Amino acid sequence: MTNTNLFLDIHVIQAVPPANINRDDTGSPKTAQYGGVTRARVSSQSWKKAMRDYFNANGTDSNVGIRSLEIVKYLADKIQEKDSTINDDDALRLANDTLNNAKISTKDNRLKALLFLGAVQVEKLAQAAIDGVKDKKVLQEILVDNPAVDIALFGRMVAEDASLNEDASAQVAHAISTHAVQTEFDFFTATDDLAAEDNAGAGMLGTIEYNASTLYRYANVAAHELIKQLDDKTATINALKLFVDAFVKSMPTGKINTFANQTLPSAVVVVLRSDRPVNVVNTFENPIKANGGYVDKSIQQLEKGLKDADCFVAKPLSILTIGLKDNNQLNFDTLLAQLDSDLTDNL
């Protein structure tokens, strides 16, 4: 069976101990008002960065993206990898000229705005620079073709030329706690190892803000759009499995050495739908009340939210779960293997 539209939803319940994994401009853990109370919040940007890092560390696809102001130097290094006879100055000149000819502005060997490029795109751009390609259309085709997995999933905006933009096939929600939270303060001191023995004072005093939470996390991918971007069914299935793997196992790194908040989800639900994606955060609009913890109640509420959504949307093509009480339980490797089979049947 092949569907015109195919959406992948992923829902996660995850407990995070005292932590400050995503802080605002004052250093406080990010929060949001929802259901009349203050919730812990982790921004989608923060978790997408963690997922991109996971792609690089664990993905089998070498075509992942680099987003930087230092693309000139990055491209120059690729030019020299391909032709070791080109010296540093000439490589930088070629890189600048090639990017400028593609209408990407540079100044002092840096870009004026962040640019997201895939590994294949950079390789082909380096070869074009060596070959002396100056045609804007040819160079921009290189920048558009063969998008990296994370560019296809998360999108790319190029302010100087909208034709180089890449629409994101994935949406990632801000994670919020299923319950109300209060920010707390950790007062700490640091001792001076070389201080005189009669000096009882601390070498440094300070505070770190933190909270603890049970998060509802949600994301979706328009698989029918992703396959158009990657132009390969096997690559698309692998990208979707990597997306699920990274969403489940990645963790933003803010203050992680201080708090060691290396947790994994307590529940995972992956749903394939033919009509539309469904975020069930509204099931947590009434905050969970503490009575022996939040995880079990949050999982029960997630199950209720998914069932409540059934009266509005078409029957899912596939539901794969870990940690729910009323469904066949899978381990994570088995879930990914079953997802591979379900995507093959429906994509």
Side-chain angles (χ1 to χ4, degrees):
M1 177 181 177
T2 301
N3 297 288
T4 303
N5 290 336
L6 183 64
F7 296 96
L8 182 151
D9 282 339
I10 178 167
H11 310 265
V12 162
I13 298 295
Q14 183 166 356
V16 179
N20 188 350
I21 59 179
N22 185 209
R23 53 193 183 272
D24 64 19
D25 57 337
T26 68
S28 301
K30 288 186 176 180
T31 58
Q33 291 292 315
Y34 188 64
V37 299
T38 299
R39 312 288 185 116
R41 176 172 66 91
V42 183
S43 71
S44 58
Q45 296 93 329
S46 176
W47 225 300
K48 283 190 284 190
K49 175 59 168 65
M51 292 174 69
R52 287 184 55 235
D53 290 342
Y54 190 92
F55 291 170
N56 277 288
N58 299 280
T60 56
D61 190 336
S62 60
N63 188 17
V64 292
I66 292 292
R67 183 175 58 193
S68 178
L69 294 172
E70 306 295 341
I71 293 295
V72 175
K73 180 66 167 60
Y74 182 51
L75 179 56
D77 290 343
K78 293 295 181 183
I79 290 170
Q80 289 184 299
E81 285 180 15
K82 289 182 173 293
D83 189 342
S84 60
T85 66
I86 299 175
N87 63 39
D88 292 350
D89 290 340
D90 286 343
L92 286 170
R93 177 183 56 78
L94 281 172
N96 275 292
D97 290 348
T98 301
L99 290 166
N100 294 161
N101 288 330
K103 301 307 177 184
I104 304 295
S105 298
T106 64
K107 182 180 180 180
D108 299 328
N109 295 327
R110 298 183 87 223
L111 300 190
K112 294 183 178 180
L114 288 167
L115 181 64
F116 205 176
L117 283 183
V120 172
Q121 293 170 338
V122 173
E123 291 284 343
K124 292 192 173 186
L125 209 57
Q127 189 60 55
I130 294 169
D131 295 341
V133 176
K134 301 182 185 301
D135 186 271
K136 170 189 170 183
K137 182 178 180 181
V138 174
L139 294 173
Q140 289 199 338
E141 284 177 354
I142 293 173
L143 293 173
V144 171
D145 291 341
N146 302 295
V149 169
D150 44 355
I151 293 177
L153 286 165
F154 300 133
R156 176 178 69 187
M157 188 188 77
V158 182
E160 293 179 310
D161 192 335
S163 68
L164 300 178
N165 290 352
E166 186 77 35
D167 291 335
S169 57
Q171 299 174 343
V172 180
H174 289 229
I176 65 169
S177 63
T178 62
H179 53 90
V181 299
Q182 286 187 329
T183 297
E184 300 181 73
F185 295 83
D186 175 37
F187 172 75
F188 67 88
T189 65
T191 59
D192 185 337
D193 291 342
L194 298 181
E197 291 185 4
D198 59 353
N199 182 358
M204 178 183 176
L205 306 174
T207 58
I208 298 175
E209 296 182 58
Y210 67 91
N211 57 38
S213 60
T214 294
L215 300 173
Y216 169 66
R217 301 173 49 216
Y218 168 79
N220 69 65
V221 184
H224 56 279
E225 294 296 337
L226 183 62
I227 195 170
K228 293 177 186 176
Q229 293 169 297
L230 300 182
D231 196 29
D232 183 279
K233 183 173 180 177
T234 299
T236 301
I237 291 173
N238 288 338
L240 289 166
K241 288 165 58 183
L242 180 59
F243 182 89
V244 171
D245 192 25
F247 191 77
V248 168
K249 294 181 181 177
S250 63
M251 173 66 73
T253 57
K255 294 291 184 182
I256 204 160
N257 289 342
T258 300
F259 293 102
N261 46 277
Q262 300 278 13
T263 63
L264 288 167
S266 298
V268 176
V269 181
V270 178
V271 186
L272 293 182
R273 299 184 180 276
S274 60
D275 53 348
R276 55 155 295 160
V278 179
N279 181 337
V280 297
V281 68
N282 53 299
T283 197
F284 300 108
E285 197 268 345
N286 186 17
I288 303 292
K289 305 298 183 185
N291 182 13
Y294 297 108
V295 171
D296 287 345
K297 290 184 177 180
S298 296
I299 293 173
Q300 292 169 12
Q301 194 64 27
L302 172 61
E303 291 184 275
K304 180 180 183 300
L306 291 168
K307 290 177 181 177
D308 289 345
D310 287 346
C311 64
F312 293 100
V313 292
K315 182 179 179 181
L317 302 170
S318 169
I319 301 179
L320 305 173
T321 70
I322 296 174
L324 269 61
K325 303 298 186 286
D326 297 334
N327 293 277
N328 293 327
Q329 297 304 297
L330 304 171
N331 65 44
F332 191 61
D333 287 342
T334 305
L335 183 147
L336 289 179
Q338 185 61 54
L339 178 61
D340 187 307
S341 176
D342 292 347
L343 288 169
T344 299
D345 292 341
N346 290 286
L347 189 61

